[in-house]
Amino acid sequence: IRFVAISLQEPNLKVYPNPSRTAEVIILNTQTGLASELTVDLSHVMQVTSVKELPRGVQPLLTPDDCSLAESIAKSSPELQAALSERYDITDMSRVAADPWSVHLASEKDVAMADGGGPMPRRLVQTFLYQRMQGDGLEDNHYAHPIDILPVVDLNARELVHIEGLDRQPPPKVPDLDVNYHRDLVQS
């Protein structure tokens, strides 16, 4: 079980001198891919007082660990590596930044993709890609160099689901104009 969020709920101050203290806890069962909302009484025993199972496909917010995992899945995908090499001659994945965002299920096709049809629903994350043009660390403003393809990964299966934008031919060039703010990269 992964604890995604824990929020202290405001106590009822009209119950004096000992208002009950509760927290809302959102968890993700890593074995089933299903999320739940719990209410926990923090007063004395720390007891779960209510459990609400969320429907299949409803996913909690992305944690920093989820974002790191999404970037790792995308950048280690041989399919994405081949697409970047063929379309942009990018072979050094340390020069690629992946900015994870949750996936909006806007159509029936999207909902079916998120369900996956298997025993565990998919936990989809889209990873907007950018190229780091200079600097050996993270100091380059990679947002100035967007890459036009969009990998979608499944955090539960730890795999690339598909890549949006491969149909655009010829591929647009990655902008190479430097727009940097780091003191070591500002051009005078």
Side-chain angles (χ1 to χ4, degrees):
I1 291 181
R2 290 193 53 214
F3 289 85
V4 177
I6 301 172
S7 301
L8 188 62
Q9 295 179 331
E10 291 295 323
N12 181 355
L13 297 179
K14 294 178 182 176
V15 180
Y16 186 79
N18 296 317
S20 67
R21 301 298 308 216
T22 59
E24 180 182 90
V25 179
I26 301 174
I27 61 171
L28 179 65
N29 183 326
T30 57
Q31 301 300 310
T32 65
L34 300 176
S36 302
E37 292 178 354
L38 313 176
T39 301
V40 179
D41 181 353
L42 304 174
S43 299
H44 302 288
V45 186
M46 292 219 193
Q47 180 177 6
V48 174
T49 58
S50 73
V51 177
K52 177 184 175 189
E53 303 288 337
L54 299 177
R56 179 181 168 93
V58 173
Q59 296 292 328
L61 60 93
L62 296 174
T63 66
D65 288 342
D66 291 332
C67 293
S68 295
L69 177 59
E71 181 172 23
S72 174
I73 293 167
K75 290 171 65 172
S76 66
S77 163
E79 184 182 351
L80 179 62
Q81 292 172 8
L84 289 172
S85 177
E86 292 167 14
R87 291 171 71 89
Y88 304 105
D89 198 31
I90 298 172
T91 56
D92 181 357
M93 294 305 286
S94 71
R95 293 286 191 196
V96 175
D99 197 359
W101 286 61
S102 60
V103 172
H104 174 67
L105 306 178
S107 68
E108 295 288 327
K109 180 182 168 189
D110 292 342
V111 172
M113 179 180 60
D115 183 74
M120 184 183 297
R122 289 177 166 161
R123 186 157 161 73
L124 298 178
V125 177
Q126 55 192 343
T127 53
F128 292 90
L129 300 178
Y130 304 90
Q131 186 175 10
R132 290 188 181 107
M133 296 281 191
Q134 39 174 316
D136 292 328
L138 300 176
E139 56 274 341
D140 185 36
N141 176 19
H142 54 265
Y143 293 111
H145 315 292
I147 300 171
D148 79 314
I149 56 178
L150 180 66
V152 177
V153 301
D154 177 2
L155 297 181
N156 289 339
R158 289 180 153 78
E159 66 183 12
L160 178 75
V161 175
H162 76 278
I163 302 172
E164 292 281 339
L166 292 177
D167 58 331
R168 287 188 283 273
Q169 295 295 336
K173 187 175 183 271
V174 175
D176 59 2
L177 177 65
D178 290 326
V179 183
N180 283 301
Y181 306 100
H182 191 279
R183 67 179 177 271
D184 295 339
L185 297 176
V186 173
Q187 298 174 359
S188 44

